[in-house]
Amino acid sequence: MSVYGQNHFTWNGTLRDLHGSYTGFCTGRGRPSMTATLSSSSGLEVLLSTLQNVGDVESTLNILSVLDELLSAGTDGRIHYMIKKGGSEALLTALVKYGHTFSPNYTILIPLLHLLAKVGHKDRRIGMKAEEAGAVLLTLNLLKHNGQHARRTAACLWVIQVFCSSVSTANLIGENHGLDVIYRLIPQYTTKHLHAIKAAINAFSALLCTKANVCSAVSKEYISGFLWLYEDWHSKDNQDVAIAIRHALLCCLLKATDSTAGRQAFLSQGGIRLLYQTAQTCLLSKNLECLVEPSVQLMRKCLPRIPLPVTSDQSAYSFLLPGTPAFTDVSETPDESSDESDAEEAEDNHEANNRDYDDDLETDLNKLRLPPDPDRPKELLTQYSCFCPELSHDFQELDLSSETGDSSTASSSSDDEVVLLNKDRTKTTASRDSSTSDGSYSEMEISSRDMPAAAHLEACDFHSHSSILGTSPGFRTMVRGAMGEASPCQREDEQDNEEDGTEEFYHHTIIDRLLERHGAGIPHHDPKLYCAVASKTKSIPDFSILAFPDFWGHLPPPGHQPMAPRKPNIQRQKVFEDIQRFLKTDDIINHVVFDLEDSNLQCHSDSLRFFSKFESGNLRKAVQVRRYEYDLILNPDVNSSQHTQWFYFEVSNMAADVPYRFNVINCEKSNSQFNYGMQPVLYSVKEALEGRPHWISTGTEICYFRNNFCPAQGRRRTTFYTLTFTITFKHSEDVCYLAYHYPYTYSALMAHLKILQKSVDPAKVFFKQQTLCSTLAGNSCPIVTITACPVSRRWKDLHQMRNRPYIVLTSRVHPGESNASWVMKGTLEFLCSNDLVAQSLREAFVFKIIPMLNPDGVINGTNRCDLNSKDLNRQWSKPDPLLSPTIYHTKGFLYYLNIIGRTPVVFCDYHGHSRKKNVFLYGCSIKETLWQSGSAVDTVGLKEDPGYRGLQTGTQEHQEMGMKFCHSLLSVTKDTRILYSRKLINHIDLDHNMLDHKSHNCFEDDEPPCAEEIEYSGGCPTLKGSDLDSDIDSNMAHVDDDDKEHSAQKHQQDSISQSQQSSIKNHLFPPQTAIR
């Protein structure tokens, strides 16, 4: 009918057109024509009202036909409009009216049931409405009475499936033996009535949405029955004509195993072995590919949960916090809800993941408020004046043209005030120092004992347990008890003297000869200086070993590294290998080869050797699973049992050209860039000694997915994910390092700052490094000032310098985000360079940089938190001066800048992101920004530079982005004379102007879905062309002989007395038989 193709659909217009096509549409049996009511009601309402009141078959069929054609020709919007107008209630009323008869007319009931299934599928309250109308048990009775009529059975089953969207309705059907009725309708393999059989399986699956029904199905051994049915259909369906039935059986089993009882029943009946065997057969046929994924999901779901092989979920490192008697992890409470369904667990995980994904952004309008008042008295803020030395420095060295004194090391009258920030923590630090075994922190040193000649050094000589990068008890630096009583200047002088003496010692060691022979030559890196700095770094385990990459240095490899291609179905392959662990244990070794808590562990001679007890290292345990496969367990953050993602460890004793599989089995994020082309990074000592000191992205067969491990002590609702990758080492007997991302240690930062300080021209660059505060472990948190020195000491030049606007940059509040430090490294090096843009920025701004807000976390290899087990980025609103000193004093310094009228024009905190690509900028919450600024202009919450898409951003790209960020700061300067100076304009490439940087808004994550299902608790994958509407339309095309007979019958029930009808209805229905 052409009316259904109209561009502008209206119910009234369509009804008028249809009225002309259907003569006598609703005029039979003396009923008035519907056109009389069109003026007061919509056409749809007239149709629905007439459907409930009309008594003749022809009119009812006409109305049902009109409704079906109208809904089929349109979109879901028409169905929702019909639901809004009471369409569900009208169809249910008609069903009750025509179903409660002695001999139901299936000529009406079948299309009515079809239409009800289509509409009810979109109505979230259809189950409750059906209960109120009395249609639930009626439909179940119709099903019981028509088990031998496939078309009627399918129609009833679809309606029951739709009703089960309500838990109470599903329970009602289950209480009235609905599971038994439907289960008996599912036969062994046959080629007849497949649409009805599939409808029965789907209806049974829908009933399993309640725990009561699942328990009933388990107790009646229906789980084993479905396994038997699947095996029967799989073995006999040689022509693949019943793929939809097999798929439906798998989906039903997936639904049944949402509960613990269902999974246990599946496991006890050998379900994993059966599906593993059938899935291997399905892999051989392309037609059966659709059965592999639900089989894999079902096996993953039902694998028994295995506790992590650790003694405690708590971190191997603990730190006694000031003011606390001992650490207790509240997450160690045993799990008392083990029977909780995976569906509920998946929902909880999904909500948690959504909160975690971008939880640094505030989007809740109810939390908007005016800027808070300072959290401390203004009198206390004056102590931060020492961190603005540029305001009081007299620059006397500018008058001495022959003197090359370093202005960055010149003292000022305000420097002594730095001590005030440490007084609160002096007692705590001193007490911790006195509690150590020998009252000292070890100093990294290079021992010459039993040292091979430099000419014969091999990579294997740099194994962590050798003495090359080891320590000697005779060379340790005692921590001075009066650490907080010396002025910052005195402490710096003492440190310089100690370093000078240490460097003289290193000059005669094997490392000097090694450097002379191989010549590391890394820009802005000095191995000997790194050793000296690392010797003063304080760690919880008292690290005494240097990781070779940190000592030797890193050069970015030539060229860009594109995203690694993902091998098709690689996750499936790895999951099959993991399932084999459960089914076939002959080749499983399960031998612990490394344990952070057991230094006396003995390894097999042919196994890999692991080590992670060095700065920023993280690997708690390594277990050899098979000959060339290892499970790796990461160490949670200090004083915590959570936040496992960052890893950095050493591996040795490998054979060349052999693929080794590594499985990091206790990751916590729900997704990772490892699913989209990111690779771990590897550093080879042998390659470095041959002149290629590169961290390189490496690894094949990489994927990231949920596993079946659980916490060792039953922490509730915790799921773990596996990062699996394969490494083929280039050299035998090499020493290699593997890391989540390019490591950047605290010692590297401190050494880098010293090198930068020596690299700048003190007559041009004012570079001042100071200690903002001490951390919980007693390490210093540096704050750096960078600006241009005044041209002269004249008042005008000094005034210009001291009135420059401020820019504050911070980084690395989350230790696992090492890429943030590489970006900061690029920023620091650029600002200290002779580039004209850098010179202009120094002349325009005063930069205050805190390059590492969480030194202790970085040192001890944590991923998210500080030693207090808290995420420091969540402490800004009310930081504790004892437990979160770096945040407390950074916030105090920002308050100080505000009260002296130097509020920063830019504040930027550098971060990394584990699940987004590229380089991008988050602003504050859009709503928060508009609220506090009073701006009427819509701002952007997320800006992204698309220039790095398709690449794995390495250290070169990170440092480049640090430089580009500095370029962008030219746009915020108010001194246009600097911005448009002739020298700078000539320097800038106008065709690629950094002030016209290409970027686009990116409010939502545009990462495509992972090629394979990361979770295993989701729904069954949909089979193409098997949706409910398609099945119903297919059923409407079939007409049974019995249906033809019913359509020819008259309404004989009119001649039967009401008493006779009531008596017959009270009789039991005959026994149900299966569809054949």
PDB file of all heavy atoms in Angstrom, residues 926 929-939:
ATOM      1  N   ILE A 926      33.745  21.886  32.484  1.00  0.00           N
ATOM      2  CA  ILE A 926      33.162  22.985  31.705  1.00  0.00           C
ATOM      3  C   ILE A 926      32.221  23.802  32.581  1.00  0.00           C
ATOM      4  O   ILE A 926      32.284  25.026  32.632  1.00  0.00           O
ATOM      5  CB  ILE A 926      32.403  22.432  30.489  1.00  0.00           C
ATOM      6  CG1 ILE A 926      33.346  21.615  29.609  1.00  0.00           C
ATOM      7  CG2 ILE A 926      31.758  23.554  29.696  1.00  0.00           C
ATOM      8  CD1 ILE A 926      32.651  20.908  28.470  1.00  0.00           C
ATOM      9  N   THR A 929      34.126  25.729  35.244  1.00  0.00           N
ATOM     10  CA  THR A 929      34.843  26.868  34.674  1.00  0.00           C
ATOM     11  C   THR A 929      33.888  28.033  34.404  1.00  0.00           C
ATOM     12  O   THR A 929      34.150  29.181  34.761  1.00  0.00           O
ATOM     13  CB  THR A 929      35.546  26.454  33.375  1.00  0.00           C
ATOM     14  OG1 THR A 929      36.460  25.406  33.664  1.00  0.00           O
ATOM     15  CG2 THR A 929      36.289  27.621  32.763  1.00  0.00           C
ATOM     16  N   LEU A 930      32.754  27.736  33.772  1.00  0.00           N
ATOM     17  CA  LEU A 930      31.790  28.793  33.464  1.00  0.00           C
ATOM     18  C   LEU A 930      31.211  29.391  34.741  1.00  0.00           C
ATOM     19  O   LEU A 930      30.982  30.596  34.842  1.00  0.00           O
ATOM     20  CB  LEU A 930      30.669  28.225  32.592  1.00  0.00           C
ATOM     21  CG  LEU A 930      31.078  27.760  31.191  1.00  0.00           C
ATOM     22  CD1 LEU A 930      29.892  27.132  30.485  1.00  0.00           C
ATOM     23  CD2 LEU A 930      31.613  28.924  30.377  1.00  0.00           C
ATOM     24  N   TRP A 931      30.975  28.531  35.739  1.00  0.00           N
ATOM     25  CA  TRP A 931      30.386  28.992  36.987  1.00  0.00           C
ATOM     26  C   TRP A 931      31.312  29.968  37.707  1.00  0.00           C
ATOM     27  O   TRP A 931      30.896  31.026  38.164  1.00  0.00           O
ATOM     28  CB  TRP A 931      30.080  27.790  37.865  1.00  0.00           C
ATOM     29  CG  TRP A 931      29.594  28.116  39.236  1.00  0.00           C
ATOM     30  CD1 TRP A 931      30.333  28.226  40.362  1.00  0.00           C
ATOM     31  CD2 TRP A 931      28.240  28.366  39.624  1.00  0.00           C
ATOM     32  NE1 TRP A 931      29.541  28.518  41.435  1.00  0.00           N
ATOM     33  CE2 TRP A 931      28.250  28.616  41.015  1.00  0.00           C
ATOM     34  CE3 TRP A 931      27.033  28.406  38.946  1.00  0.00           C
ATOM     35  CZ2 TRP A 931      27.097  28.891  41.724  1.00  0.00           C
ATOM     36  CZ3 TRP A 931      25.877  28.690  39.652  1.00  0.00           C
ATOM     37  CH2 TRP A 931      25.911  28.931  41.009  1.00  0.00           C
ATOM     38  N   GLN A 932      32.578  29.598  37.830  1.00  0.00           N
ATOM     39  CA  GLN A 932      33.489  30.406  38.624  1.00  0.00           C
ATOM     40  C   GLN A 932      33.992  31.631  37.862  1.00  0.00           C
ATOM     41  O   GLN A 932      34.299  32.652  38.457  1.00  0.00           O
ATOM     42  CB  GLN A 932      34.661  29.556  39.094  1.00  0.00           C
ATOM     43  CG  GLN A 932      34.240  28.467  40.069  1.00  0.00           C
ATOM     44  CD  GLN A 932      35.402  27.929  40.866  1.00  0.00           C
ATOM     45  OE1 GLN A 932      36.472  28.514  40.885  1.00  0.00           O
ATOM     46  NE2 GLN A 932      35.192  26.818  41.539  1.00  0.00           N
ATOM     47  N   SER A 933      34.097  31.508  36.538  1.00  0.00           N
ATOM     48  CA  SER A 933      34.626  32.635  35.771  1.00  0.00           C
ATOM     49  C   SER A 933      33.542  33.630  35.388  1.00  0.00           C
ATOM     50  O   SER A 933      33.839  34.762  35.019  1.00  0.00           O
ATOM     51  CB  SER A 933      35.307  32.119  34.496  1.00  0.00           C
ATOM     52  OG  SER A 933      34.349  31.539  33.620  1.00  0.00           O
ATOM     53  N   GLY A 934      32.285  33.182  35.475  1.00  0.00           N
ATOM     54  CA  GLY A 934      31.202  34.057  35.049  1.00  0.00           C
ATOM     55  C   GLY A 934      31.153  34.248  33.549  1.00  0.00           C
ATOM     56  O   GLY A 934      30.505  35.153  33.046  1.00  0.00           O
ATOM     57  N   SER A 935      31.837  33.370  32.819  1.00  0.00           N
ATOM     58  CA  SER A 935      31.888  33.499  31.369  1.00  0.00           C
ATOM     59  C   SER A 935      30.579  33.044  30.749  1.00  0.00           C
ATOM     60  O   SER A 935      29.998  32.039  31.161  1.00  0.00           O
ATOM     61  CB  SER A 935      33.049  32.657  30.821  1.00  0.00           C
ATOM     62  OG  SER A 935      33.006  32.628  29.417  1.00  0.00           O
ATOM     63  N   ALA A 936      30.143  33.787  29.752  1.00  0.00           N
ATOM     64  CA  ALA A 936      28.933  33.402  29.014  1.00  0.00           C
ATOM     65  C   ALA A 936      29.279  32.632  27.754  1.00  0.00           C
ATOM     66  O   ALA A 936      28.403  32.223  27.007  1.00  0.00           O
ATOM     67  CB  ALA A 936      28.123  34.646  28.659  1.00  0.00           C
ATOM     68  N   VAL A 937      30.545  32.451  27.513  1.00  0.00           N
ATOM     69  CA  VAL A 937      30.995  31.767  26.301  1.00  0.00           C
ATOM     70  C   VAL A 937      31.238  30.305  26.627  1.00  0.00           C
ATOM     71  O   VAL A 937      31.869  29.968  27.625  1.00  0.00           O
ATOM     72  CB  VAL A 937      32.291  32.402  25.761  1.00  0.00           C
ATOM     73  CG1 VAL A 937      32.739  31.699  24.489  1.00  0.00           C
ATOM     74  CG2 VAL A 937      32.063  33.881  25.512  1.00  0.00           C
ATOM     75  N   ASP A 938      30.720  29.417  25.801  1.00  0.00           N
ATOM     76  CA  ASP A 938      30.928  27.992  26.020  1.00  0.00           C
ATOM     77  C   ASP A 938      32.394  27.654  25.793  1.00  0.00           C
ATOM     78  O   ASP A 938      32.995  28.056  24.805  1.00  0.00           O
ATOM     79  CB  ASP A 938      30.058  27.180  25.046  1.00  0.00           C
ATOM     80  CG  ASP A 938      30.024  25.719  25.418  1.00  0.00           C
ATOM     81  OD1 ASP A 938      30.480  25.388  26.527  1.00  0.00           O
ATOM     82  OD2 ASP A 938      29.541  24.917  24.605  1.00  0.00           O
ATOM     83  N   THR A 939      32.973  26.916  26.736  1.00  0.00           N
ATOM     84  CA  THR A 939      34.381  26.554  26.642  1.00  0.00           C
ATOM     85  C   THR A 939      34.525  25.091  26.305  1.00  0.00           C
ATOM     86  O   THR A 939      33.564  24.340  26.289  1.00  0.00           O
ATOM     87  CB  THR A 939      35.098  26.852  27.967  1.00  0.00           C
ATOM     88  OG1 THR A 939      34.465  26.101  29.006  1.00  0.00           O
ATOM     89  CG2 THR A 939      35.040  28.323  28.302  1.00  0.00           C
TER      90      THR A 939
END
